[in-house]
Amino acid sequence: MDATPGGAGGLGDLQQLAAHLRTHAALRAKAEIGLVSEVMGAASWVHGPGDDGAVVRMGAAGVAGSPDGQVIACGEALLPAFVARDPYGAGFAAVLTNVNDLAAMGAMPCAIVDTIVGTVDLAREALRGMQAASRLYDVPVVGGHLTLHDGSPAVSAFGVGRAEKVLSLTHVAAGQSLVVACCTDGTMREDFPFFRSFDERGAELAGDVRLLARIAGSGAAVAAKDVSMAGLVGSLAMLLEWGRFGVTVDLDRLPRPPGVPMAAWLSCFPAYAFLLCAPPGRAGECVSAFHARGLDAAVVGVIDDTGLLRLASGDRRATVLDLALTPVTGLQR
């Protein structure tokens, strides 16, 4: 499929790209999250479930802005098939996903706790992966649980961080600028839609993930979401879902690694990629903060109240989702 905007076929290619993303398995899988609301009912998108992490108020008053601040808690379970095939990678990913989720909430990561179920050899490799990621991101793995057995493996991890100001989906509003910030230096895995940047960024990664907390503290962004398994467009749909907002993403402005097709970039899981909402007049400050670290960032659209997630290139438009009609997670508000 030539899904590159401006490629052969003109608007037809953009429509094809939108259809491809609309039916992507990773996006459709997010509908399974609605099970949480079926069992537990409506909940707070700030205190969980909803955002990338749950906000736990600290201090005697238990309110935002207290001296003890706000703790962000999150967790991630890795696919058993991935754990069995690449336990080292699963251990690494368990830390990576939590660190990114904490960053997307505006939190400084404090610690990781893990759970591992599997053989001795698998557990050893998973722990090695966690240790490597822990050192790279400068976040300690402080404890967890280990069950050794010969059955199906399982790896999960849970992160804790502290936030001065929380970046939350509930802060999204029409008129804000949509900023995409990412590392475009790296390579795509051949066996999994994951864009690696670890070798290229190295020791810079620890500062990269902590940058979002500083941006949140300055007020240059008020909401964020990390681009994860649902891909850039799927993660964006989740960012917009709570308020049923819309946006038209200008693909001509979107940062993208050289040599990676647009369809692959919009549906992959990058090691470092975030969607941020900047208040009017603050987008330049937000973008500049990433540029100062040698990361790519650009304003790719403006949040509106249409409920339509659209793609644009030149004078061409294509709708991926109408969030007023098609829920993403189905979480109750």
Side-chain angles (χ1 to χ4, degrees), residues 206-251:
D208 292 345
V209 296
R210 288 164 172 79
L211 177 58
L212 278 87
R214 293 193 289 274
I215 290 174
S218 73
V222 295
K225 190 162 188 65
D226 74 309
V227 178
S228 55
M229 281 295 297
L232 192 149
V233 168
S235 298
L236 176 56
M238 296 169 72
L239 176 75
L240 302 170
E241 181 182 21
W242 181 82
R244 294 181 183 140
F245 292 105
V247 72
T248 299
V249 179
D250 187 343
L251 298 181

Side-chain angles (χ1 to χ4, degrees), residues 46-101:
V46 174
H47 300 104
D51 256 317
D52 281 315
V55 178
V56 182
R57 307 296 190 196
M58 303 300 288
V63 296
S66 70
D68 291 326
Q70 302 157 99
V71 168
I72 309 298
C74 57
E76 187 77 20
L78 282 299
L79 287 172
F82 178 43
V83 175
R85 184 171 69 248
D86 184 3
Y88 179 93
F92 195 105
V95 174
L96 160 71
T97 51
N98 278 284
V99 169
N100 281 355
D101 280 348

Side-chain angles (χ1 to χ4, degrees), residues 6-260:
L11 181 60
D13 289 337
L14 200 59
Q15 297 287 0
Q16 189 179 15
L17 174 59
H20 168 74
L21 295 168
R22 186 184 309 121
T23 58
H24 197 273
L27 173 58
R28 295 200 310 271
K30 292 300 178 182
E32 299 168 0
I33 299 174
L35 175 64
V36 176
S37 289
E38 288 181 22
V39 176
M40 304 183 70
S44 165
W45 280 53
V46 174
H47 300 104
D51 256 317
D52 281 315
V55 178
V56 182
R57 307 296 190 196
M58 303 300 288
V63 296
S66 70
D68 291 326
Q70 302 157 99
V71 168
I72 309 298
C74 57
E76 187 77 20
L78 282 299
L79 287 172
F82 178 43
V83 175
R85 184 171 69 248
D86 184 3
Y88 179 93
F92 195 105
V95 174
L96 160 71
T97 51
N98 278 284
V99 169
N100 281 355
D101 280 348
L102 290 169
M105 295 295 293
M108 292 286 191
C110 296
I112 301 289
V113 176
D114 67 83
T115 64
I116 300 174
V117 178
T119 65
V120 171
D121 290 341
L122 183 140
R124 181 176 289 109
E125 285 302 295
L127 286 168
R128 285 184 60 247
M130 290 182 187
Q131 182 184 51
S134 169
R135 290 171 175 169
L136 195 61
Y137 287 99
D138 193 21
V139 183
V141 176
V142 297
H145 174 83
L146 172 63
T147 296
L148 297 179
H149 86 142
D150 295 329
S152 298
V155 170
S156 299
F158 310 90
V160 177
R162 187 180 296 277
E164 176 187 342
K165 289 186 179 180
V166 173
L167 297 172
S168 171
L169 309 185
T170 60
H171 299 159
V172 179
Q176 295 170 352
S177 296
L178 174 65
V179 173
V180 172
C182 54
C183 178
T184 55
D185 295 328
T187 56
M188 192 78 76
R189 277 185 67 140
E190 295 182 359
D191 61 337
F192 189 75
F194 181 75
F195 186 80
R196 295 169 42 92
S197 300
F198 310 122
D199 294 337
E200 291 76 12
R201 290 302 290 176
E204 297 294 330
L205 280 168
D208 292 345
V209 296
R210 288 164 172 79
L211 177 58
L212 278 87
R214 293 193 289 274
I215 290 174
S218 73
V222 295
K225 190 162 188 65
D226 74 309
V227 178
S228 55
M229 281 295 297
L232 192 149
V233 168
S235 298
L236 176 56
M238 296 169 72
L239 176 75
L240 302 170
E241 181 182 21
W242 181 82
R244 294 181 183 140
F245 292 105
V247 72
T248 299
V249 179
D250 187 343
L251 298 181
D252 299 332
R253 296 184 178 182
L254 180 69
R256 176 164 56 111
V260 176

